[in-house]
Amino acid sequence: MSVVRIPFTVQTAPGAKSQEGGGRIVNGYVEELGDQAPNKTIIRRAPGMVNFGTSARSGYRGAIVVNDVLYVAFNGKLEKWTSAGGASVNVGNLNGTKRGFFAANNNTTPDKVFVDPDGNIAVFTPTSVTNAYPDADLPAVNSVDFLDGYLVFTTGDGRAYATDLNSTSVNSLSFGKAEAKPDGLVRVVSWGGRLLFFGTQTTEVWTDAGTTPFPFARSSVIPRGLAGPYCVSGYEDGFSRGPIWVGDDSCVYRLDGYTPVKVSVPDLEGLIEAVSDKTTLEATSYISRGHAFWQLACPAWTWVLDISTSQWAQADSYLVTRTRRSGAINAFSKWLSGDTANGNLQQITSTANDEVGSPLRLRIESGPVLNFPVGTVVGRADFYFVTGVGIATGDDPDQTTPDVEISWSDDGGLNWSNPITRPLGRQSESMQLASLVSCTGRTSWQGRRWRLDISSAVYAGFLFATMSENPRLS
């Protein structure tokens, strides 16, 4: 029999059940190679994390950079860092524990504010926090953003309040109401010179009309709401690909003009639909190696959209089902992130092949090899990786002699064999990987699936694989 190509996917497709899946990519992404490369694409490991700053806090709640100072909210505390990183400096006590939203205006000394969906609000300076708003005319609010010199707040009953120009003062009549539907307001986002007011069923677009006392007027209505307060990202400074959000129908959308365009896949939509508390869904965005990633996570799972290729992958972290990345922000020419494992700030970077010392396992699963004789012994399978990736001065043996674990399934991914370990090659040691010349069992009517796991903290790049019943073919 001739050599058969093993079908590895370019987009994760686990299926509602493993037997219908088309392959998976976990903690990886696909990149195109040149016309004369060994394969059209390569699957690389997702960017890892290195430490930027430490704190004694817990419960990351969001961050903002103002005048080269990074302010970060935690459970009950506000901390700050400079570009040097290191240990945080406490600014003051901050009410609440939920994730929230920061904004600052263009005042000579910017006014800075924090709001969370529970109605907690605070203003702060570099050295103090006041857990109240200075103008009593502002009612209880659930989000905040900034546009054209105005701090803009939303309320659950559908009103949006604006401050005076570059001030915290609020005229009691300086508000507009989102009235396309009686769906209240969940979140305000400033993007592209417009305000997006997200309700539970609709999103209203408002622009600066120069009116008084409320300066904004509605210009369009998008017939799609927001699933939860943390379900939108992509508009942030340094990212700016445009807002991508989880809609009220459990699908993920981007904007084409003012038209929502679905970018999610059914496997993800089923997972979103099954989340009963949509406030546990958290979207965030970051850039690595030129790829713009939009991430959606909840306690049970994480999916990541590579906007550059429109392809999805899954993600997790060591011993947990969701990634540790939370609430990324572009600061000091770096992409920094909260960490669900502790109160530290981490830098997301493609130069790291682990997560602050913990393994970042790249898992790649193939679809079924169906064009192979049923009940035939697999005599050989060859897997082609970038080799010679060991680090001579790295941790021994994890980095000095890195390896890949290879396992297989003949029942649609319900059960997997014990893995066979093959070397990825010491530093500059180029080799063909990995030839399985001994019997690896007989294929079934469900075909043969393969799984590749790389946990070694070295560069990981997978090209393609083949299999044959003849151990002499390759």
Side-chain angles (χ1 to χ4, degrees), residues 350-384:
S350 62
T351 63
N353 296 302
D354 60 11
E355 291 186 319
V356 204
S358 294
L360 180 62
R361 180 198 61 194
L362 169 62
R363 169 166 285 181
I364 309 168
E365 292 178 3
S366 77
V369 182
L370 295 173
N371 56 335
F372 199 84
V374 174
T376 300
V377 171
V378 179
R380 179 185 183 114
D382 291 273
F383 300 87
Y384 295 85

mmCIF file of all heavy atoms in Angstrom, residues 350-384:
data_model
loop_
_atom_site.group_PDB
_atom_site.id
_atom_site.type_symbol
_atom_site.label_atom_id
_atom_site.label_comp_id
_atom_site.label_asym_id
_atom_site.label_seq_id
_atom_site.Cartn_x
_atom_site.Cartn_y
_atom_site.Cartn_z
ATOM 1 N N SER A 350 5.973 35.440 22.413
ATOM 2 C CA SER A 350 6.303 34.242 21.648
ATOM 3 C C SER A 350 7.690 33.728 21.973
ATOM 4 O O SER A 350 8.054 32.616 21.562
ATOM 5 C CB SER A 350 6.197 34.534 20.143
ATOM 6 O OG SER A 350 7.123 35.547 19.766
ATOM 7 N N THR A 351 8.482 34.501 22.710
ATOM 8 C CA THR A 351 9.813 34.034 23.095
ATOM 9 C C THR A 351 9.751 33.072 24.272
ATOM 10 O O THR A 351 10.758 32.435 24.598
ATOM 11 C CB THR A 351 10.722 35.214 23.463
ATOM 12 O OG1 THR A 351 10.188 35.898 24.609
ATOM 13 C CG2 THR A 351 10.835 36.201 22.302
ATOM 14 N N ALA A 352 8.602 32.959 24.916
ATOM 15 C CA ALA A 352 8.430 32.041 26.045
ATOM 16 C C ALA A 352 7.698 30.794 25.574
ATOM 17 O O ALA A 352 6.660 30.886 24.916
ATOM 18 C CB ALA A 352 7.668 32.717 27.176
ATOM 19 N N ASN A 353 8.215 29.627 25.941
ATOM 20 C CA ASN A 353 7.608 28.355 25.567
ATOM 21 C C ASN A 353 6.965 27.655 26.762
ATOM 22 O O ASN A 353 6.684 26.453 26.706
ATOM 23 C CB ASN A 353 8.663 27.452 24.930
ATOM 24 C CG ASN A 353 9.202 28.028 23.637
ATOM 25 O OD1 ASN A 353 8.445 28.285 22.710
ATOM 26 N ND2 ASN A 353 10.503 28.251 23.583
ATOM 27 N N ASP A 354 6.753 28.401 27.828
ATOM 28 C CA ASP A 354 6.014 27.908 28.983
ATOM 29 C C ASP A 354 5.255 29.086 29.595
ATOM 30 O O ASP A 354 5.261 30.181 29.038
ATOM 31 C CB ASP A 354 6.940 27.237 30.007
ATOM 32 C CG ASP A 354 8.018 28.187 30.538
ATOM 33 O OD1 ASP A 354 7.935 29.416 30.289
ATOM 34 O OD2 ASP A 354 8.945 27.714 31.212
ATOM 35 N N GLU A 355 4.578 28.857 30.697
ATOM 36 C CA GLU A 355 3.844 29.927 31.364
ATOM 37 C C GLU A 355 4.455 30.165 32.736
ATOM 38 O O GLU A 355 4.129 29.521 33.721
ATOM 39 C CB GLU A 355 2.358 29.575 31.483
ATOM 40 C CG GLU A 355 1.651 29.576 30.144
ATOM 41 C CD GLU A 355 0.159 29.368 30.250
ATOM 42 O OE1 GLU A 355 -0.278 28.523 31.065
ATOM 43 O OE2 GLU A 355 -0.588 30.042 29.499
ATOM 44 N N VAL A 356 5.433 31.048 32.759
ATOM 45 C CA VAL A 356 6.112 31.439 33.996
ATOM 46 C C VAL A 356 6.596 30.182 34.732
ATOM 47 O O VAL A 356 6.372 30.022 35.936
ATOM 48 C CB VAL A 356 5.215 32.298 34.905
ATOM 49 C CG1 VAL A 356 6.080 33.148 35.847
ATOM 50 C CG2 VAL A 356 4.302 33.207 34.105
ATOM 51 N N GLY A 357 7.235 29.277 34.000
ATOM 52 C CA GLY A 357 7.798 28.083 34.591
ATOM 53 C C GLY A 357 6.906 26.863 34.555
ATOM 54 O O GLY A 357 7.386 25.733 34.749
ATOM 55 N N SER A 358 5.607 27.019 34.308
ATOM 56 C CA SER A 358 4.701 25.882 34.205
ATOM 57 C C SER A 358 4.588 25.445 32.742
ATOM 58 O O SER A 358 4.607 26.279 31.840
ATOM 59 C CB SER A 358 3.307 26.239 34.726
ATOM 60 O OG SER A 358 3.348 26.492 36.117
ATOM 61 N N PRO A 359 4.450 24.146 32.486
ATOM 62 C CA PRO A 359 4.386 23.665 31.096
ATOM 63 C C PRO A 359 3.216 24.283 30.324
ATOM 64 O O PRO A 359 2.129 24.467 30.868
ATOM 65 C CB PRO A 359 4.196 22.154 31.254
ATOM 66 C CG PRO A 359 4.729 21.831 32.611
ATOM 67 C CD PRO A 359 4.414 23.028 33.457
ATOM 68 N N LEU A 360 3.469 24.588 29.072
ATOM 69 C CA LEU A 360 2.436 25.031 28.141
ATOM 70 C C LEU A 360 2.371 23.975 27.043
ATOM 71 O O LEU A 360 3.073 24.050 26.035
ATOM 72 C CB LEU A 360 2.762 26.407 27.566
ATOM 73 C CG LEU A 360 1.754 26.978 26.566
ATOM 74 C CD1 LEU A 360 0.389 27.178 27.209
ATOM 75 C CD2 LEU A 360 2.264 28.285 25.970
ATOM 76 N N ARG A 361 1.528 22.977 27.246
ATOM 77 C CA ARG A 361 1.495 21.827 26.350
ATOM 78 C C ARG A 361 0.810 22.161 25.031
ATOM 79 O O ARG A 361 -0.344 22.586 24.998
ATOM 80 C CB ARG A 361 0.741 20.671 27.013
ATOM 81 C CG ARG A 361 0.641 19.410 26.156
ATOM 82 C CD ARG A 361 -0.451 18.507 26.648
ATOM 83 N NE ARG A 361 -1.756 19.174 26.576
ATOM 84 C CZ ARG A 361 -2.845 18.714 27.178
ATOM 85 N NH1 ARG A 361 -2.791 17.641 27.917
ATOM 86 N NH2 ARG A 361 -3.994 19.375 27.056
ATOM 87 N N LEU A 362 1.528 21.957 23.934
ATOM 88 C CA LEU A 362 0.934 22.026 22.604
ATOM 89 C C LEU A 362 0.348 20.661 22.286
ATOM 90 O O LEU A 362 1.068 19.652 22.277
ATOM 91 C CB LEU A 362 1.984 22.407 21.565
ATOM 92 C CG LEU A 362 1.579 22.263 20.094
ATOM 93 C CD1 LEU A 362 0.399 23.165 19.755
ATOM 94 C CD2 LEU A 362 2.761 22.537 19.175
ATOM 95 N N ARG A 363 -0.964 20.607 22.064
ATOM 96 C CA ARG A 363 -1.626 19.353 21.697
ATOM 97 C C ARG A 363 -2.236 19.499 20.311
ATOM 98 O O ARG A 363 -2.960 20.465 20.034
ATOM 99 C CB ARG A 363 -2.700 18.978 22.711
ATOM 100 C CG ARG A 363 -3.615 17.838 22.262
ATOM 101 C CD ARG A 363 -4.429 17.262 23.396
ATOM 102 N NE ARG A 363 -3.575 16.418 24.261
ATOM 103 C CZ ARG A 363 -4.026 15.769 25.322
ATOM 104 N NH1 ARG A 363 -5.307 15.871 25.681
ATOM 105 N NH2 ARG A 363 -3.203 15.018 26.044
ATOM 106 N N ILE A 364 -1.936 18.526 19.451
ATOM 107 C CA ILE A 364 -2.469 18.500 18.093
ATOM 108 C C ILE A 364 -3.081 17.124 17.876
ATOM 109 O O ILE A 364 -2.401 16.108 18.051
ATOM 110 C CB ILE A 364 -1.369 18.753 17.047
ATOM 111 C CG1 ILE A 364 -0.572 20.020 17.383
ATOM 112 C CG2 ILE A 364 -1.981 18.881 15.661
ATOM 113 C CD1 ILE A 364 0.698 20.180 16.562
ATOM 114 N N GLU A 365 -4.352 17.088 17.506
ATOM 115 C CA GLU A 365 -5.017 15.822 17.211
ATOM 116 C C GLU A 365 -5.474 15.817 15.760
ATOM 117 O O GLU A 365 -5.981 16.824 15.253
ATOM 118 C CB GLU A 365 -6.226 15.617 18.125
ATOM 119 C CG GLU A 365 -5.858 15.406 19.580
ATOM 120 C CD GLU A 365 -7.075 15.247 20.473
ATOM 121 O OE1 GLU A 365 -8.200 15.238 19.931
ATOM 122 O OE2 GLU A 365 -6.907 15.145 21.703
ATOM 123 N N SER A 366 -5.296 14.682 15.111
ATOM 124 C CA SER A 366 -5.684 14.574 13.706
ATOM 125 C C SER A 366 -7.152 14.198 13.582
ATOM 126 O O SER A 366 -7.787 13.737 14.541
ATOM 127 C CB SER A 366 -4.835 13.504 13.011
ATOM 128 O OG SER A 366 -5.285 12.206 13.356
ATOM 129 N N GLY A 367 -7.676 14.394 12.387
ATOM 130 C CA GLY A 367 -8.933 13.774 12.032
ATOM 131 C C GLY A 367 -8.683 12.307 11.747
ATOM 132 O O GLY A 367 -7.535 11.832 11.749
ATOM 133 N N PRO A 368 -9.728 11.525 11.467
ATOM 134 C CA PRO A 368 -9.533 10.094 11.214
ATOM 135 C C PRO A 368 -8.921 9.837 9.838
ATOM 136 O O PRO A 368 -9.282 10.474 8.855
ATOM 137 C CB PRO A 368 -10.952 9.535 11.301
ATOM 138 C CG PRO A 368 -11.837 10.678 10.914
ATOM 139 C CD PRO A 368 -11.157 11.905 11.433
ATOM 140 N N VAL A 369 -7.990 8.893 9.807
ATOM 141 C CA VAL A 369 -7.464 8.425 8.521
ATOM 142 C C VAL A 369 -8.432 7.351 8.026
ATOM 143 O O VAL A 369 -8.411 6.207 8.483
ATOM 144 C CB VAL A 369 -6.046 7.851 8.676
ATOM 145 C CG1 VAL A 369 -5.514 7.417 7.303
ATOM 146 C CG2 VAL A 369 -5.117 8.870 9.304
ATOM 147 N N LEU A 370 -9.301 7.701 7.107
ATOM 148 C CA LEU A 370 -10.346 6.798 6.631
ATOM 149 C C LEU A 370 -9.965 6.072 5.349
ATOM 150 O O LEU A 370 -10.509 5.010 5.045
ATOM 151 C CB LEU A 370 -11.649 7.569 6.425
ATOM 152 C CG LEU A 370 -12.280 8.160 7.710
ATOM 153 C CD1 LEU A 370 -13.470 9.038 7.367
ATOM 154 C CD2 LEU A 370 -12.692 7.049 8.668
ATOM 155 N N ASN A 371 -9.037 6.644 4.586
ATOM 156 C CA ASN A 371 -8.625 6.004 3.330
ATOM 157 C C ASN A 371 -7.477 5.035 3.587
ATOM 158 O O ASN A 371 -6.432 5.071 2.967
ATOM 159 C CB ASN A 371 -8.222 7.054 2.295
ATOM 160 C CG ASN A 371 -7.128 7.976 2.786
ATOM 161 O OD1 ASN A 371 -6.969 8.157 3.993
ATOM 162 N ND2 ASN A 371 -6.399 8.570 1.867
ATOM 163 N N PHE A 372 -7.697 4.160 4.563
ATOM 164 C CA PHE A 372 -6.715 3.160 4.967
ATOM 165 C C PHE A 372 -7.474 1.854 5.177
ATOM 166 O O PHE A 372 -8.576 1.872 5.743
ATOM 167 C CB PHE A 372 -6.040 3.595 6.269
ATOM 168 C CG PHE A 372 -4.736 2.904 6.560
ATOM 169 C CD1 PHE A 372 -3.559 3.366 5.994
ATOM 170 C CD2 PHE A 372 -4.679 1.817 7.403
ATOM 171 C CE1 PHE A 372 -2.343 2.748 6.273
ATOM 172 C CE2 PHE A 372 -3.479 1.188 7.684
ATOM 173 C CZ PHE A 372 -2.311 1.658 7.115
ATOM 174 N N PRO A 373 -6.954 0.720 4.753
ATOM 175 C CA PRO A 373 -7.730 -0.529 4.862
ATOM 176 C C PRO A 373 -8.189 -0.816 6.291
ATOM 177 O O PRO A 373 -7.387 -0.774 7.228
ATOM 178 C CB PRO A 373 -6.738 -1.591 4.370
ATOM 179 C CG PRO A 373 -5.794 -0.851 3.495
ATOM 180 C CD PRO A 373 -5.651 0.507 4.101
ATOM 181 N N VAL A 374 -9.456 -1.095 6.457
ATOM 182 C CA VAL A 374 -10.006 -1.422 7.767
ATOM 183 C C VAL A 374 -9.406 -2.733 8.258
ATOM 184 O O VAL A 374 -9.300 -3.709 7.510
ATOM 185 C CB VAL A 374 -11.544 -1.516 7.712
ATOM 186 C CG1 VAL A 374 -12.103 -2.010 9.041
ATOM 187 C CG2 VAL A 374 -12.135 -0.168 7.357
ATOM 188 N N GLY A 375 -8.993 -2.749 9.517
ATOM 189 C CA GLY A 375 -8.456 -3.956 10.105
ATOM 190 C C GLY A 375 -7.024 -4.251 9.715
ATOM 191 O O GLY A 375 -6.546 -5.370 9.909
ATOM 192 N N THR A 376 -6.338 -3.263 9.163
ATOM 193 C CA THR A 376 -4.955 -3.447 8.742
ATOM 194 C C THR A 376 -4.004 -2.873 9.785
ATOM 195 O O THR A 376 -4.248 -1.811 10.346
ATOM 196 C CB THR A 376 -4.708 -2.765 7.380
ATOM 197 O OG1 THR A 376 -5.580 -3.344 6.414
ATOM 198 C CG2 THR A 376 -3.265 -2.929 6.936
ATOM 199 N N VAL A 377 -2.918 -3.585 10.022
ATOM 200 C CA VAL A 377 -1.907 -3.109 10.964
ATOM 201 C C VAL A 377 -1.221 -1.865 10.401
ATOM 202 O O VAL A 377 -0.881 -1.814 9.218
ATOM 203 C CB VAL A 377 -0.865 -4.204 11.233
ATOM 204 C CG1 VAL A 377 0.308 -3.645 12.040
ATOM 205 C CG2 VAL A 377 -1.500 -5.366 11.983
ATOM 206 N N VAL A 378 -1.049 -0.875 11.248
ATOM 207 C CA VAL A 378 -0.278 0.309 10.862
ATOM 208 C C VAL A 378 1.189 -0.010 11.111
ATOM 209 O O VAL A 378 1.635 -0.100 12.260
ATOM 210 C CB VAL A 378 -0.713 1.549 11.661
ATOM 211 C CG1 VAL A 378 0.127 2.755 11.247
ATOM 212 C CG2 VAL A 378 -2.189 1.815 11.455
ATOM 213 N N GLY A 379 1.913 -0.215 10.038
ATOM 214 C CA GLY A 379 3.316 -0.605 10.177
ATOM 215 C C GLY A 379 4.235 0.554 10.460
ATOM 216 O O GLY A 379 5.318 0.379 11.034
ATOM 217 N N ARG A 380 3.810 1.735 10.040
ATOM 218 C CA ARG A 380 4.724 2.878 10.157
ATOM 219 C C ARG A 380 3.935 4.175 10.126
ATOM 220 O O ARG A 380 2.959 4.299 9.397
ATOM 221 C CB ARG A 380 5.722 2.845 9.004
ATOM 222 C CG ARG A 380 6.716 3.986 8.984
ATOM 223 C CD ARG A 380 7.569 3.922 7.741
ATOM 224 N NE ARG A 380 8.579 4.970 7.741
ATOM 225 C CZ ARG A 380 9.886 4.756 7.823
ATOM 226 N NH1 ARG A 380 10.344 3.523 7.884
ATOM 227 N NH2 ARG A 380 10.733 5.766 7.816
ATOM 228 N N ALA A 381 4.374 5.116 10.931
ATOM 229 C CA ALA A 381 3.854 6.486 10.851
ATOM 230 C C ALA A 381 5.020 7.436 11.044
ATOM 231 O O ALA A 381 5.851 7.249 11.936
ATOM 232 C CB ALA A 381 2.783 6.721 11.914
ATOM 233 N N ASP A 382 5.099 8.461 10.206
ATOM 234 C CA ASP A 382 6.194 9.431 10.246
ATOM 235 C C ASP A 382 5.636 10.816 10.526
ATOM 236 O O ASP A 382 4.694 11.265 9.853
ATOM 237 C CB ASP A 382 6.942 9.435 8.917
ATOM 238 C CG ASP A 382 7.717 8.155 8.694
ATOM 239 O OD1 ASP A 382 8.867 8.087 9.162
ATOM 240 O OD2 ASP A 382 7.160 7.221 8.077
ATOM 241 N N PHE A 383 6.234 11.494 11.490
ATOM 242 C CA PHE A 383 5.787 12.822 11.900
ATOM 243 C C PHE A 383 6.949 13.797 11.721
ATOM 244 O O PHE A 383 8.051 13.555 12.220
ATOM 245 C CB PHE A 383 5.317 12.800 13.352
ATOM 246 C CG PHE A 383 4.181 11.854 13.587
ATOM 247 C CD1 PHE A 383 4.420 10.520 13.878
ATOM 248 C CD2 PHE A 383 2.868 12.288 13.486
ATOM 249 C CE1 PHE A 383 3.370 9.631 14.074
ATOM 250 C CE2 PHE A 383 1.812 11.411 13.680
ATOM 251 C CZ PHE A 383 2.065 10.077 13.976
ATOM 252 N N TYR A 384 6.688 14.885 11.018
ATOM 253 C CA TYR A 384 7.749 15.815 10.650
ATOM 254 C C TYR A 384 7.605 17.112 11.443
ATOM 255 O O TYR A 384 6.662 17.888 11.259
ATOM 256 C CB TYR A 384 7.720 16.085 9.145
ATOM 257 C CG TYR A 384 8.040 14.849 8.349
ATOM 258 C CD1 TYR A 384 7.045 13.924 8.028
ATOM 259 C CD2 TYR A 384 9.351 14.575 7.956
ATOM 260 C CE1 TYR A 384 7.352 12.770 7.323
ATOM 261 C CE2 TYR A 384 9.654 13.422 7.241
ATOM 262 C CZ TYR A 384 8.647 12.531 6.929
ATOM 263 O OH TYR A 384 8.943 11.378 6.233
#
